[in-house]
Every structure is written in structure tokens, then in C-alpha cells.
Amino acid sequence: MGRDPRRDLLAGLTVAVVALPLALGFGVSSGLGAEAGLATAVVAGALAALFGGSNLQVTGPTGAMTVVLVPIVAQYGPGGVLTVGLIAGAIVIALAVARAGRYMAYIPASVVEGFTLGIALVIGLQQVPQALGVPKPEGERVLEVTWRTVGEFVRAPNWTALGLALGVAALMLIGARWRPTVPFSIVAVIAATVVARVFHLDAAAPIGELPAGLPAPSLGFVDPAQLGSLIAPALAVAALAALESLLSAQVADGMTVGQKHDPDRELFGQGLANLAAPLFGGVPATGAIARTAVNVRTGASSRLAALTHAAVLAVIVFAAAPLVSAIPLAALAGVLLATAVRMVEVGSLRAMARATRADAVVLVLTAAATLALDLVYAVIIGFVVAGALALRAVAKQARLAEVDFAADLPGEHSAEEHALLAEHIVAYRIDGPLFFAAAHRFLLELSEVADVRVVILRMSRVTTVDATGALVLKDVVEKLHRRGIAVMTSGIRPGQRQALDAVGALDLLRLEGREFATTPEAIAGARVHLHGAGFLPAAPAAPAASPAAHEEPVR
């Protein structure tokens, strides 16, 4: 993708318009106020754009981080949260120095989907007090607070706040389907603010006065007596900042051609951003998947777009604080309710549930743990359960594999495969389980192929596939297709089809007629493809194969 400064500036402006209500809303939800959300978006957004490892990542306050911060605010106060952000930033920088970024790729897809679903539920429930116009009741658990809020609303209903919140959420959700390119979040917030002012809706409490600018950097919030007790929450914040930022950068890579983030540099940039944001009163930040996706879709190609987003928000902080202060809190609650709804990808959840029973169990367990416990604990629980179920499946398939292959273990067909390389064809055999850890190694190897026109994936020795493996396989096919490399498969077993079908991996091959029963058939298909595309002057004769090669077809 070539650089285009004008497109980057336009993309940055668009992201800023989308990010403004989100920054305000997440700042309010965290308990530190709208000004904290704005400070985070400006300071962390600029530093992460400059020093991070992705050209397309947009950083700021996020819903996932807000979920973690709420109980910290309740226990340690605003100063404790700022201190936690400072410590977390140092921890993330240490992770970057230790080159830990590469290991984040091994989190199973089912854990990520369950984590996202759980976060969406928590974000939605956190907005209930503001959406109902009820002062937030005491309580540490979001379910408990929601239940008390509903009780208060029943005793003294505030229909104005509820109407504004539902109106904003509905306008965002319906508008996104009608005109996806229009930033309906800011349109809805402006409309709600105008309605509240014109009709003097006093029941719709506004954000309140905001400072016209960023505060001077200060460490006055640090309480040495609290430092020891803040280490544990800081570790949770650091883990979440690293995890969400790298997931977001990976999503950005998948949406583009030719972009690839540096995970360790990304951790360094996020750590630096989290070190600086608390000095200006900002909350801990992460890479924001929704804003990053908007950035990519609007044509961003360099860091200039994310820097522009931060600069536009800085202008708003300095020049438009009085206008922003009039926004009703219920309108921001509506923005976050719609955001929570849009976080839930029904198609992805359905694919996970259909892929394998183990993936469905991990997804539900991770979502439930996110809702009932803590986000970091939820990821750990999901990862441990996924690993245990993977080992169980490997052990089961290993016993079956001994029966299936013991009678006719083949030769490697190295002579034939070496000859294929001269024809710009590579036959890649996958052995054993295609699970979340092995799958990413497989993706790394295939993404580096060069001087090849056709890749044949030999699947007959794959013992089992989980949802992550199936998604990685689909990602490989899409990436190679974008590079003009045809992908063909051979020997897919019936037991593998459920997971591959659930995520749509096989659809890419069926449309092109590139799925074959055996590898010799796939090789013949590759030669026909190359001959038809003009890469070969004629279909070369296949090299002579050994007798052993014909006893067990290469698959």
C-alpha cells in the first residue's frame, strides 16, 4: 500500500470523530471523568502512534480496560488508578525488552471470542445506571450493581435519560447498517445534546465542566504507601494492555496487504504511552480494535493517520471544552451500549460453537469468567482449559493415528517435491494436530514463501483441527491469494471438515475448484492452473515416482 498523506489526514479526522464520544464515555465509565478519557486519547494516542510497532494502530481508552479500572477506582481512588497506569506502563516496556510480544499470538481463537463477548456484556451492564438516570449504587460486581440500579429505577423512573440513551444507541445501530461510512456516533450525540438543550430536559444530567486544555504533567498522585498493594492490579492492567493491543494490531494486519506489525516494538510504544498518560490525568490505554478498524477502512497507510486523530482531539480539548461539557451522560451511555452490541460478532460466535465441542466450551467458559470474575483470570482460565482439551484431543488422535498409518508409512517423495519447486509449486505437508500453537507457526512459515505460484496443502496427516487452526488456515489462503499465489488442498479428512466449514475456510477452495482427494491430483491441477495462466510453456511430465510412492498416494 503506497503512502498518501491526504488519505491519512482524512482517515485521522474520521477516526477522531468516531473516537470523541468513545473517549468521553470510557472516561466517565472508568470513574475518573470525561477529561481523563480525552487526555488518554490525546497523550497515549500520539505516543503509541510514534513509537508503536504498527503503522495503522489507534490507541486510546477502551471498554476492556474500563472494566478492569472500575474496581480499582472503587478500592484505591483516582490516584491509585493513575499509579497503576504508571506501573503497568513500566511492566509493558519490560515485556517489550524481554521480547514477549511473539507469544501473544498463541492465544486460542475461542478464548479471544469468549473474552470479547464477556467484555461486551460487562460494558453494556456498566452503562445501565447512566442510561436509566440513576446514581450508581455501591457494589464491586457489575451484576450486583445492575440489579440494584434496576430496583432504583423502578422506584423512581427517569424516562428522559432512558429515552436519550436508547435513541442514541438505536440511531448508531440503524445508521451503521444504512450508511456504514457515516460516523453516526457523533451525529447521535450532537442530536441528543441539542434535544436536551432545546427542550430543557433537566433530568438528563450533562457531563459538566471540563478544563480547557491538558493539565501540567505531575507525579503528585503517587502515594508511596499504596505502591505495594497496587502491584497486583498493575500486572492485570499490563497484561490486558499487551493482549488487547497486539490483538488489535493483528486485526489491522489482516485487513490490509503488505502491512505487518512488530509485536515487541508495539509493546514498547504501548508501555511508553501508559507511562505518560497518567502524568496528564489519563487512564491506562490500549490499542483500540474498533478505532483501528475505522482507520484502516478509511484508507490509512501510515502513522500520520493515528497522529492526526490525536491532534484533532487535542484541538477539541483546547477549543471546544464548553460545547463538550453540555453532552448528556445518558447519550454517552447510549454510545457505549451500541458499541457493546457491535462488539458481538454473531457469525464468529456461531462459527466457534460449530467448529468443535471443545471450542464451544472454552468460549462459554471464558465469557462467563469475564462477566463474573476478572478479565485476566478469564483469559488464563480459557487458555488452560483450551490447552487441556487440546492435549486430550491429541492423545486421542495419536492412538487413532497409530492404527491409520502404521501399515503404510510413506517415503518423503523428496525427489518429486524438489522437482516441483522448479515449476514454482510447493507441496506443504501438515503433520499432527493443527491447534492454536502449531497453527501460528504454520502461518509464519507459509507467509514467507517466495518465487512460488501454487501452494499445495497436504492435509491427510492432520490428526485434528480446532477453530484457531481452521481460522489460521483460512487466513493463509486469503493472504496467499492476495499475493497472487493459488492454494490447493489434498487429503482433507471427514473429521476435519466441521471446523474448516464452520469458519468458511473450505468455501475459498470450493469456489475455485481447488480441493482434491490426493496430492497427485492436486499437482495435476496445479500444472493445469499454471499452464492456463501462462506461467508454464507446457505441462511438464511428472518425474518418475518410486514404487513406494504409489503404495500410499501423497496427500
Side-chain angles (χ1 to χ4, degrees), residues 252-346:
D253 289 351
M255 295 176 66
T256 59
V257 179
Q259 292 279 0
K260 188 175 182 181
H261 75 283
D262 180 336
D264 296 314
R265 182 179 171 184
E266 181 62 24
L267 287 181
F268 177 79
Q270 294 295 334
L272 196 61
N274 279 292
L275 268 178
L279 303 180
F280 297 88
V283 296
T286 75
I289 294 177
R291 276 155 275 179
T292 299
V294 171
N295 195 38
V296 175
R297 284 198 298 263
T298 49
S301 58
S302 74
R303 300 168 189 269
L304 178 60
L307 281 170
T308 301
H309 138 269
V312 171
L313 290 178
V315 170
I316 292 172
V317 169
F318 283 96
L323 295 176
V324 172
S325 65
I327 296 173
L329 290 171
L332 295 182
V335 170
L336 299 189
L337 283 172
T339 302
V341 171
R342 292 172 65 177
M343 285 177 67
V344 180
E345 295 284 347
V346 177

Side-chain angles (χ1 to χ4, degrees), residues 26 62-72 107 111-112 114-123 126 140-142 232-233 235-244 247 286 343 365-384:
F26 288 134
T62 65
M65 188 60 77
T66 300
V67 172
V68 174
L69 296 181
V70 168
I72 299 176
I107 296 177
V111 173
V112 174
F115 177 75
T116 304
L117 175 60
I119 289 172
L121 293 172
V122 174
I123 291 172
Q126 283 180 342
E140 293 185 6
R141 299 297 178 191
V142 67
L235 285 170
V237 168
L240 181 59
L243 172 64
E244 190 173 13
L247 286 176
T286 75
M343 285 177 67
L365 187 61
T366 306
T370 302
L371 187 59
L373 300 173
D374 176 84
L375 271 70
V376 177
Y377 284 135
V379 171
I380 293 172
I381 291 170
F383 192 86
V384 169

Side-chain angles (χ1 to χ4, degrees), residues 525-552:
R527 287 171 173 155
V528 169
H529 168 77
L530 291 175
H531 181 63
F535 293 121
L536 291 176
S546 65
H550 292 287
E551 291 173 10
E552 193 257 3

